[in-house]
Amino acid sequence: QKPVTQYLELTGNTQAINSVDLVARVQGYLESIDYADGAIVKKGSQLFGIERVNYQAQLDQAQATLASNQASEEYARAEYQRQSALSRQDFASLATLQDAKAKFDQASASVQSAMAAIELAKTNLGYTQVFAPFDGVVTNHLVDVGSLVGFSGPTKLATIIQTDPIYVYFTVSEAQVLALKAHLGKYGVQLRTTGLTDVPVEIGLQNEEGYPHKGRLDYASPQVESGTGSLTARALFDNKDRALLPGLFARVRMPIGQQP
């Protein structure tokens, strides 16, 4: 005789842990595609390049405007300080002092405005290079070199998908939740939806025998959805060999305890 592990057998689907559309956020002609369709890329790798000339010119212009405004501010500060000193000696009227103060404040505001314009120009210039936000596989490009992008809003260029590790989502019916709660209650264990990483989960694909892939429970919804009468759960699996593709049907097995 030996204890027998009882399992909950369910069905689920694999899903990428991260999936992001790569878009052109500024207007311009696409100058380069810096990856091969379907390639595995590292975080920070440049994937697309958009013409930079106009945005570099805008940055240069904003920097020149800042330099001019800073010179005006320095002159206005010196004039205000001079008028302030004369006012204390009763050689300058209050109106003259106030005028000098207003010009100094206006010059300072112009400097702040120019600094903001520089930050905006730097941001737009940065958008001309589209980088990988994480390690992953990039789909085929949707726009060819020479095409105008971003002219009427963000233009989708491709999608990057991270599949290592990979998620498996599955649902537990209300009846199964209640049965599991009652089963665990016999052993003095409460059903929980947090701190689940110690719960093992196994899956098998349609063409596989048994449950060869081992993972851990990663998430469980804190409530049963009233519309479907089910509770959504998620398990996390290592996928370094990328044997698990997003969107696959999977048989899911999860232990619910041992019966003596």
Side-chain angles (χ1 to χ4, degrees):
Q1 293 184 347
K2 62 179 181 179
V4 176
T5 301
Q6 293 181 301
Y7 292 95
L8 192 62
E9 296 185 351
L10 307 158
T11 58
N13 290 92
T14 56
Q15 183 171 315
I17 189 171
N18 281 313
S19 179
V20 173
D21 290 337
L22 303 168
V23 299
R25 300 178 63 176
V26 292
Q27 181 175 325
Y29 290 99
L30 190 66
E31 290 188 335
S32 66
I33 299 174
D34 304 296
Y35 75 99
D37 290 351
I40 300 172
V41 299
K42 293 292 186 180
K43 179 180 178 180
S45 301
Q46 181 171 322
L47 304 177
F48 296 93
I50 302 169
E51 62 175 341
R52 299 168 57 87
V53 177
N54 291 339
Y55 299 102
Q56 183 63 59
Q58 291 174 6
L59 176 59
D60 294 342
Q61 184 180 35
Q63 290 172 334
T65 300
L66 174 63
S68 176
N69 291 348
Q70 286 174 331
S72 298
E73 181 190 34
E74 189 61 29
Y75 176 81
R77 178 186 289 109
E79 179 64 16
Y80 171 62
Q81 291 173 346
R82 188 174 73 88
Q83 294 296 334
S84 180
L86 291 174
S87 177
R88 287 194 296 270
Q89 300 173 15
D90 295 329
F91 290 119
S93 66
L94 179 60
T96 302
L97 178 62
Q98 290 176 338
D99 182 63
K101 179 64 166 60
K103 289 180 179 178
F104 173 55
D105 290 343
Q106 184 177 8
S108 297
S110 296
V111 169
Q112 295 299 319
S113 177
M115 293 176 66
I118 287 177
E119 292 303 315
L120 179 60
K122 286 182 178 179
T123 299
N124 288 333
L125 181 62
Y127 286 154
T128 61
Q129 296 173 288
V130 181
F131 298 100
F134 46 77
D135 296 350
V137 179
V138 188
T139 63
N140 61 299
H141 62 277
L142 303 177
V143 181
D144 295 326
V145 170
S147 300
L148 181 63
V149 297
F151 59 92
S152 60
T155 302
K156 183 176 176 180
L157 305 174
T159 301
I160 182 170
I161 300 171
Q162 182 180 1
T163 58
D164 180 29
I166 194 169
Y167 286 140
V168 173
Y169 279 88
F170 55 94
T171 57
V172 184
S173 69
E174 181 179 351
Q176 290 172 319
V177 170
L178 295 176
L180 178 59
K181 185 175 183 297
H183 174 81
L184 294 175
K186 295 179 181 178
Y187 303 96
V189 179
Q190 288 187 340
L191 180 66
R192 53 192 166 99
T193 58
T194 59
L196 302 170
T197 56
D198 61 324
V199 180
V201 178
E202 303 170 320
I203 65 167
L205 303 181
Q206 292 191 60
N207 64 338
E208 294 176 333
E209 294 291 334
Y211 302 86
H213 305 281
K214 315 296 182 183
R216 294 286 176 180
L217 197 60
D218 178 66
Y219 165 79
S221 173
Q223 63 181 0
V224 174
E225 294 295 332
S226 58
T228 61
S230 62
L231 183 146
T232 299
R234 181 181 72 200
L236 187 66
F237 292 80
D238 287 332
N239 192 33
K240 291 181 174 57
D241 58 358
R242 293 181 171 81
L244 298 174
L245 300 176
L248 294 176
F249 168 83
R251 293 174 284 105
V252 181
R253 186 172 74 168
M254 183 174 61
I256 59 175
Q258 289 188 337
Q259 182 179 9

